[in-house]
Amino acid sequence: MNQDFATAESYKKALKFLFSEVRYLKGIGPAKAKVLKNNKINTVFDLFFYIPRKYLDRSEVTSINQLKTGETATVIGKVVSFGVVRGRTRRFVVYIQDDTGHLELVWFSGYRYLENMFAGNDILSVTGKVGFYNGYQMTHPEFEVISGYDDQTIHTRRIIPIYPETSSLKMVKLHSRGLRKIIKPALTYLEHINCETLPDNVRHKHGLLKLNEAISQAHFPDSLEEAQRGINRLAFEELFYLELLLAVRHRKRATQEPGISFPPPKTLGRKLLNNLKFELTKAQKRVLREIYKDMEKPHPTNRLLQGDVGCGKTVVALLAMLGAVEAGYQAALMVPTEVLAEQHGYILSKMLKGLDVKLMVFTGSVTGRKRESILKKIALGKVDIIVGTHTLIQEKIKFNKLGFAIIDEQHRFGVAQRGKLKSKGLYIDILVMTATPIPRTLAMTFYGDLDISVINQMPPGRSRVKTKFVPFEKRDKMYSFISEQVKSGAQAYIVYPLVEESEKMDLKAAKESYERLHRETFPNLRLALLHGRMKGVDKNRVMEDFRDGKIDIVVSTTVIEVGLDVTNASIMVIEHAERFGLSQLHQLRGRVGRGGRQAYCFLLSDKKLSREAEARIKILCSTNDGFKIAEADLNIRGPGEIMGTRQHGLPELKVAKLTDSKMLSLARQSAFEIISDDAMLMKPDNRLLREVLLKKFSKKIKYSKIA
């Protein structure tokens, strides 16, 4: 099998093997192939990256007469007898023997499945803690039936891999034993094939094993330390090529795509800053400089702006849009909800007072002649800034000269929706914003092809929101506290969950609770109900009255989750807090505490909290730092749940973990260094990278034109 991989032809042969269908491997028939395919294992390469979930150290086999009570040991012996023993406690017993003695194996529960697993003279490898009761005994040991010396070299007398078990299909199920028997022979193909995919300098720099060594050690390691080295190499491989793809995208956008060069706004920007009743924080100024520097370049801006709730992203976004407006272009701000669109329209209009800038709000609630009038004004260029929901990407809307677009709360939009907004102009600049802090590791991966800015400083006057969990028996005491606060001038939100699976029931519960609160709990206060199914004009009226102080308490569903800014609101009550995610709870809490008054957030639940819900609530009560909360959320839920891998068009990782920030940083640094030196990967030393990248991500990089 020796092959010279100095030629492209020999490399192609290696790839052909690595990416051949797994069904051609010895021991895999059509039924097993279907089971593997059902678990996203289609090729030999996929099989090599199906990494064990743990390892059992069976490298030392102990004779039965050498066993010691209290120690864990591995024994190989022949089945002498087995069966159910009845008595005070019913149990299943198997007796095995070797040349030195007998060992009793006992199961007190869950043994029904064992009754048909043994036959006389079977050879067993068993591992467990040794006890003594009328002789040596192991209770509930791990075991495998082995046959012959070959099985002993695979299933025992070594560190053996335990794999995630595959799901069954037509009664076919692959356990660790079956997978070991398939993978071990397949690994022999690697012994004489140089299938290396990383440059030597990258591998040596980070002390990584060669790929064939890493694959072998990950599956059948010489030691637990070598198993970890193998897994580390495979994880680095995944992260490196993912970051290489992102580096290619970033380089292409930053240096090849034509764009608009916007000079920093002089007149409009200065006027706006003079009109503001506050000074920008150092963090806001730094981020604004980063955005303006991007906008000046003759290539499209693609930047992610992160900032915790209330850090002042809106004014930064407006100053950025004014850069486009002053240069004669239109700017658009797309948000996920109509309530948020109206809120932004209200706030931005106040900021723009006295400036010659025309702003309009365009949502699905705008109909009839008013809708046609706005569409006509946008098309004729009579509107400078357009704030709207997904209606901004509908086919009917035609911009006159769109040059800059902002997507707020970007996690609510998919890749396709962002692409449609970008297509509304020619080489427009894109700024995506989020008030849901993203852990650094996720930002580096999911937005690795974007430049990232972070506002990590809060404006002066923002007090820490005191957050408390309120059990059912203390609800009345909380209500009394709210009444006193409202009578002294505060305003409050009371929020109920609204999830798709039970939307009708949730909405009904919210309405009924509003009636009860209005009639019984706060009969002398002014309450209003707000939910997503209300007409746009009715929702706007509630929010306007709340802003104007005509309403004391808004009883709402999660329609108020993002963007609402009522300075006087200082109390947030979240009913059924156990049903909300951590970032959602933090977002809701961020609706209060924007004025000088001390703010409070009360988390309510009538149920016994699950372990995960209790963890979320403890974290929220302990900190107001959105980035710490985001890291905790990542550890609780994992990256896929938080970001939605499919939404971002990125592959699922099989080995690497996005929580491994150190490895991700190293992989990213190496990938970006290579692309900065050789953007198209055309140098002889990088052609292998180019081939592998195309093979791995052919669908992802078609538009990147690496050819």
Side-chain angles (χ1 to χ4, degrees):
M1 296 288 295
N2 268 319
Q3 298 186 39
D4 177 10
F5 276 80
T7 65
E9 184 62 30
S10 56
Y11 173 69
K12 287 180 182 177
K13 287 181 180 178
L15 277 185
K16 186 176 180 180
F17 166 72
L18 288 172
F19 290 96
S20 62
E21 292 184 41
V22 74
R23 64 191 174 99
Y24 295 120
L25 286 177
K26 185 180 179 180
I28 297 181
K32 289 181 180 178
K34 285 183 179 179
V35 176
L36 292 169
K37 188 174 182 180
N38 197 43
N39 287 271
K40 300 179 182 178
I41 302 172
N42 300 306
T43 67
V44 176
F45 185 82
D46 294 335
L47 189 62
F48 289 157
F49 276 74
Y50 192 67
I51 298 303
R53 62 182 174 85
K54 68 175 184 177
Y55 299 90
L56 297 180
D57 190 349
R58 293 181 180 169
S59 55
E60 293 187 16
V61 176
T62 305
S63 299
I64 292 175
N65 68 346
Q66 296 296 314
L67 293 175
K68 294 181 180 179
T69 304
E71 293 185 356
T72 298
T74 295
V75 173
I76 294 177
K78 183 193 296 183
V79 173
V80 178
S81 64
F82 60 91
V84 176
V85 176
R86 292 171 174 82
R88 282 192 306 170
T89 55
R90 187 169 169 148
R91 60 199 184 278
F92 186 76
V93 176
V94 177
Y95 286 96
I96 64 172
Q97 70 174 21
D98 65 6
D99 294 337
T100 67
H102 290 78
L103 175 66
E104 182 185 40
L105 313 176
V106 182
W107 287 266
F108 290 100
S109 61
Y111 55 74
R112 287 187 178 277
Y113 78 98
L114 295 171
E115 294 183 31
N116 298 317
M117 293 190 70
F118 301 101
N121 296 323
D122 276 349
I123 304 297
L124 296 189
S125 171
V126 297
T127 302
K129 190 172 183 179
V130 180
F132 195 90
Y133 183 76
N134 295 327
Y136 288 119
Q137 182 186 76
M138 286 185 185
T139 303
H140 292 270
E142 295 189 20
F143 74 94
E144 286 200 70
V145 179
I146 61 176
S147 57
Y149 180 76
D150 288 343
D151 262 14
Q152 289 193 32
T153 62
I154 296 176
H155 305 303
T156 192
R157 297 186 186 276
R158 66 178 308 126
I159 294 170
I160 67 163
I162 304 297
Y163 295 91
E165 290 191 351
T166 62
S167 58
S168 60
L169 184 69
K170 294 182 179 179
M171 302 305 292
V172 176
K173 190 165 186 175
L174 289 179
H175 299 279
S176 290
R177 177 181 172 81
L179 286 165
R180 288 198 290 272
K181 291 185 75 171
I182 293 167
I183 293 171
K184 190 69 165 70
L187 291 175
T188 60
Y189 285 88
L190 294 175
E191 291 176 6
H192 306 291
I193 295 178
N194 178 7
C195 58
E196 188 53 61
T197 56
L198 291 178
D200 287 342
N201 62 331
V202 171
R203 195 167 51 78
H204 293 317
K205 180 180 179 180
H206 301 298
L208 300 170
L209 295 175
K210 289 183 178 180
L211 182 57
N212 55 357
E213 290 179 88
I215 291 171
S216 295
Q217 291 296 335
H219 291 283
F220 291 92
D222 295 331
S223 66
L224 293 175
E225 290 76 19
E226 287 300 300
Q228 191 58 55
R229 285 190 73 198
I231 291 173
N232 287 346
R233 158 62 208 258
L234 299 181
F236 184 92
E237 169 114 350
E238 281 192 315
L239 294 173
F240 173 79
Y241 278 102
L242 179 56
E243 290 298 334
L244 198 65
L245 170 66
L246 296 172
V248 169
R249 287 179 177 176
H250 184 275
R251 178 81 173 184
K252 179 175 182 286
R253 288 171 176 172
T255 62
Q256 295 176 34
E257 290 183 354
I260 307 162
S261 180
F262 295 107
K266 295 180 180 179
T267 308
L268 293 177
R270 191 175 295 114
K271 280 185 177 180
L272 178 65
L273 290 171
N274 290 337
N275 288 349
L276 295 176
K277 296 179 180 178
F278 55 86
E279 185 178 349
L280 298 185
T281 63
K282 289 181 180 179
Q284 287 173 309
K285 291 175 182 177
R286 170 178 46 78
V287 167
L288 197 56
R289 285 195 298 270
E290 292 169 352
I291 295 171
Y292 282 157
K293 189 175 180 180
D294 272 1
M295 293 176 70
E296 282 187 88
K297 294 176 182 176
H299 305 289
T301 295
N302 282 279
R303 184 170 286 274
L304 168 68
L305 172 56
Q306 284 200 81
D308 210 341
V309 178
C311 71
K313 293 183 300 298
T314 303
V315 67
V316 171
L318 179 56
L319 284 162
M321 288 190 287
L322 290 180
V325 172
E326 192 164 298
Y329 287 83
Q330 292 171 304
L333 172 58
M334 186 166 76
V335 299
T337 68
E338 290 189 3
V339 171
L340 184 52
E342 293 292 344
Q343 174 77 9
H344 271 312
Y346 173 81
I347 292 172
L348 295 179
S349 294
K350 283 182 69 175
M351 289 184 181
L352 291 170
K353 195 172 183 179
L355 277 69
D356 187 20
V357 177
K358 184 67 175 175
L359 178 145
M360 283 191 170
V361 177
F362 185 63
T363 67
S365 294
V366 179
T367 57
R369 290 183 180 179
K370 186 177 180 181
R371 181 182 182 84
E372 294 303 318
S373 173
I374 292 177
L375 285 171
K376 187 175 181 180
K377 287 178 180 178
I378 293 172
L380 292 173
K382 294 182 178 180
V383 184
D384 301 308
I385 297 175
I386 303 96
V387 180
T389 54
H390 62 278
T391 51
L392 296 184
I393 59 176
Q394 292 178 353
E395 288 185 16
K396 284 189 176 181
I397 187 167
K398 306 291 181 185
F399 291 88
N400 180 267
K401 197 179 180 182
L402 183 63
F404 191 86
I406 297 177
I407 301 166
D408 195 18
E409 293 304 320
Q410 50 72 38
H411 61 282
R412 300 290 192 90
F413 297 99
V415 173
Q417 289 170 307
R418 294 198 291 273
K420 283 182 180 179
L421 181 59
K422 191 171 184 178
S423 70
K424 290 294 182 179
L426 187 63
Y427 309 126
I428 69 172
D429 284 5
I430 293 283
L431 178 69
V432 294
M433 301 198 305
T434 178
T436 304
I438 304 166
R440 182 170 174 267
T441 52
L442 295 192
M444 286 165 60
T445 305
F446 288 93
Y447 299 103
D449 55 335
L450 302 184
D451 296 299
I452 300 176
S453 291
V454 179
I455 300 179
N456 55 0
Q457 182 182 12
M458 300 299 283
R462 289 280 318 219
S463 60
R464 183 181 182 275
V465 180
K466 292 183 178 180
T467 307
K468 295 181 180 179
F469 175 69
V470 180
F472 180 75
E473 61 272 15
K474 294 187 178 180
R475 184 181 291 256
D476 289 340
K477 187 177 180 181
M478 178 200 69
Y479 286 147
S480 298
F481 175 80
I482 292 172
S483 293
E484 292 172 7
Q485 288 286 308
V486 170
K487 287 174 183 176
S488 67
Q491 289 174 284
Y493 297 101
I494 299 179
V495 180
Y496 288 83
L498 187 63
V499 294
E500 195 174 330
E501 292 80 5
S502 56
E503 188 172 338
K504 288 183 180 179
M505 291 177 61
D506 285 339
L507 189 56
K508 182 182 178 183
K511 288 178 178 177
E512 289 175 351
S513 297
Y514 162 74
E515 293 295 339
R516 186 183 67 256
L517 289 168
H518 192 27
R519 184 177 59 254
E520 300 173 10
T521 311
F522 304 111
N524 300 319
L525 300 180
R526 298 165 296 177
L527 275 66
L529 179 65
L530 180 69
H531 58 80
R533 291 196 174 184
M534 293 168 61
K535 291 181 180 179
V537 64
D538 295 329
K539 284 187 283 191
N540 293 336
R541 186 180 298 114
V542 170
M543 288 312 303
E544 285 175 12
D545 287 347
F546 192 54
R547 272 195 303 264
D548 294 340
K550 297 176 182 177
I551 294 172
D552 300 314
I553 300 174
V554 167
V555 180
S556 173
T557 59
T558 49
V559 71
I560 62 123
E561 179 185 343
V562 292
L564 298 189
D565 187 2
V566 178
T567 306
N568 197 49
S570 58
I571 299 172
M572 171 63 67
V573 178
I574 304 175
E575 290 276 1
H576 306 293
E578 78 282 354
R579 294 177 60 185
F580 293 88
L582 191 51
S583 61
Q584 196 176 25
L585 289 170
H586 180 60
Q587 283 288 324
L588 288 167
R589 177 172 63 180
R591 299 308 105 216
V592 298
R594 292 169 176 252
R597 179 187 287 271
Q598 175 60 58
Y600 301 89
C601 177
F602 299 112
L603 309 173
L604 277 63
S605 179
D606 297 341
K607 296 182 178 180
K608 183 178 180 180
L609 299 177
S610 67
R611 186 176 298 177
E612 186 176 311
E614 188 175 357
R616 289 198 301 268
I617 288 172
K618 278 185 178 178
I619 291 163
L620 202 74
C621 290
S622 66
T623 181
N624 275 235
D625 188 323
F627 288 93
K628 288 182 180 178
I629 288 169
E631 291 288 349
D633 202 19
L634 173 62
N635 292 329
I636 291 173
R637 290 196 294 155
E641 289 293 320
I642 293 174
M643 304 299 296
T645 304
R646 289 184 180 179
Q647 181 189 16
H648 290 268
L650 294 179
E652 292 182 17
L653 299 174
K654 298 176 182 178
V655 185
K657 292 181 173 60
L658 291 178
T659 51
D660 190 345
S661 58
K662 183 178 179 181
M663 184 174 290
L664 183 59
S665 297
L666 294 175
R668 180 177 176 81
Q669 181 184 357
S670 294
F672 273 70
E673 283 176 357
I674 289 170
I675 294 302
S676 66
D677 179 61
D678 183 13
M680 291 292 103
L681 297 174
M682 295 304 293
K683 290 183 178 181
D685 290 347
N686 292 332
R687 286 185 180 177
L688 176 63
L689 294 178
R690 181 174 175 271
E691 290 283 347
V692 178
L693 192 67
L694 284 166
K695 188 72 177 177
K696 282 177 175 285
F697 302 118
S698 57
K699 292 181 181 179
K700 310 287 181 189
I701 59 179
K702 275 183 181 178
Y703 68 87
S704 294
K705 308 289 185 187
I706 309 182

